[in-house]
Amino acid sequence: YEEGVKPLPFESCLIHDKSYKNREGFLVQTKPKWLTDLGIWKKDSQGNLVLTEIIQTNNHKASNNRKIKALDGFCDFYQPLWKSKKVTLLFLTFTRANFAKKSFVSMVKIVKNYFERNETAVLDYIWTCEVSENNHWHYHLAIAINRVKWKEIPKRFFFERLWGQRTEINFVKKNIKYYMSKYFAKSNYRIEGLMSYGGTKNYKKKIS
């Protein structure tokens, strides 16, 4: 694990934004921090338990499984509403997070405030952090809003000036899982001390 930890340069403004406590910079986990062996036991003809197989997992695989479960909950609720044209789904990307002007937590709050001020409140959102093999740290964010009839996304919802790095925002034109699942499952690198995914679950209140 220690051999796989790589330093990542960052902008000092992120300290003042209280996004990270380590003043020496960010650390990237390129290898799992722990490994777990899972045994599969079955009963033999006499009713005795016999170990038949050992499966090895690790904290990265476990995290990816939790992320996929969270994504399934978001998609299972909002995909039918998107198909019936009751909600609009938007997909945002925030690049070069270690050189951004703000932490991603602060950026999500800004995104929500911008949409609320324009009477298009965010119903729910889900995000994942991705670190590529060349240490490109970026975020993917999907948001659900009440149906809008925009032909194009208004320029006020492009956040490059506030983020300080390149951003993208697009309509979801197919299944939301198509946009998000590859980012939720493929990333095996982690930023030490930071969450790799998150979001809201207001839809659970509506279901119950």
Side-chain angles (χ1 to χ4, degrees), residues 44-114:
D44 61 15
S45 58
Q46 284 76 40
N48 300 315
L49 287 175
V50 178
L51 179 63
T52 60
E53 186 179 357
I54 295 178
I55 300 175
Q56 189 176 83
T57 186
N58 57 62
N59 59 303
H60 288 180
K61 288 182 179 179
S63 173
N64 283 346
N65 288 336
R66 290 192 297 270
K67 287 197 290 183
I68 289 297
K69 186 176 181 180
L71 181 64
D72 285 344
F74 181 92
C75 296
D76 290 347
F77 184 81
Y78 283 107
Q79 184 65 25
L81 294 176
W82 176 82
K83 281 188 175 181
S84 60
K85 298 184 178 181
K86 293 181 179 179
V87 301
T88 294
L89 298 175
L90 298 169
F91 182 73
L92 298 90
T93 299
F94 298 85
T95 66
R96 289 166 51 89
N98 47 313
F99 295 111
K101 292 181 179 179
K102 300 182 180 297
S103 71
F104 184 68
V105 172
S106 299
M107 200 66 229
V108 170
K109 292 179 181 178
I110 291 171
V111 170
K112 289 178 62 181
N113 288 338
Y114 264 59

Side-chain angles (χ1 to χ4, degrees), residues 137-154:
W137 175 18
H138 51 288
Y139 286 90
H140 301 288
L141 170 69
I143 65 174
I145 60 176
N146 286 320
R147 178 75 176 181
V148 294
K149 296 182 179 180
W150 301 333
K151 291 184 178 179
E152 295 182 352
I153 299 173

Side-chain angles (χ1 to χ4, degrees), residues 2-208:
E2 287 82 2
E3 294 178 356
V5 175
K6 297 181 180 179
L8 195 65
F10 74 116
E11 293 294 325
S12 59
C13 61
L14 293 178
I15 292 178
H16 303 298
D17 200 26
K18 298 181 180 179
S19 66
Y20 197 67
K21 296 180 181 179
N22 186 353
R23 291 179 176 270
E24 296 180 357
F26 298 96
L27 298 177
V28 179
Q29 292 181 14
T30 64
K31 296 181 180 180
K33 197 169 187 177
W34 50 257
L35 302 174
T36 300
D37 289 332
L38 302 175
I40 297 178
W41 298 75
K42 293 183 180 179
K43 287 185 178 181
D44 61 15
S45 58
Q46 284 76 40
N48 300 315
L49 287 175
V50 178
L51 179 63
T52 60
E53 186 179 357
I54 295 178
I55 300 175
Q56 189 176 83
T57 186
N58 57 62
N59 59 303
H60 288 180
K61 288 182 179 179
S63 173
N64 283 346
N65 288 336
R66 290 192 297 270
K67 287 197 290 183
I68 289 297
K69 186 176 181 180
L71 181 64
D72 285 344
F74 181 92
C75 296
D76 290 347
F77 184 81
Y78 283 107
Q79 184 65 25
L81 294 176
W82 176 82
K83 281 188 175 181
S84 60
K85 298 184 178 181
K86 293 181 179 179
V87 301
T88 294
L89 298 175
L90 298 169
F91 182 73
L92 298 90
T93 299
F94 298 85
T95 66
R96 289 166 51 89
N98 47 313
F99 295 111
K101 292 181 179 179
K102 300 182 180 297
S103 71
F104 184 68
V105 172
S106 299
M107 200 66 229
V108 170
K109 292 179 181 178
I110 291 171
V111 170
K112 289 178 62 181
N113 288 338
Y114 264 59
F115 278 91
E116 287 173 2
R117 290 207 304 262
N118 288 272
E119 299 181 353
T120 50
V122 175
L123 305 174
D124 266 310
Y125 64 87
I126 191 167
W127 60 266
T128 184
C129 166
E130 185 180 2
V131 184
S132 64
E133 292 184 359
N134 61 355
N135 289 339
H136 176 212
W137 175 18
H138 51 288
Y139 286 90
H140 301 288
L141 170 69
I143 65 174
I145 60 176
N146 286 320
R147 178 75 176 181
V148 294
K149 296 182 179 180
W150 301 333
K151 291 184 178 179
E152 295 182 352
I153 299 173
K155 290 184 178 180
R156 59 181 174 272
F157 297 124
F158 288 76
F159 297 101
E160 286 194 358
R161 180 179 59 82
L162 293 168
W163 179 244
Q165 299 295 323
R166 184 177 61 83
T167 67
E168 295 180 6
I169 180 168
N170 297 289
F171 291 111
V172 173
K173 298 179 180 179
K174 296 182 180 179
N175 192 308
I176 182 62
K177 283 188 181 180
Y178 173 83
Y179 281 82
M180 297 295 288
S181 60
K182 55 184 177 181
Y183 303 114
F184 269 62
K186 75 176 183 180
S187 180
N188 288 319
Y189 287 8
R190 298 287 186 276
I191 300 296
E192 188 89 27
L194 296 183
M195 292 181 62
S196 62
Y197 75 102
T200 56
K201 296 180 181 179
N202 295 320
Y203 60 86
K204 285 195 171 184
K205 300 175 184 177
K206 298 168 186 174
I207 294 174
S208 58

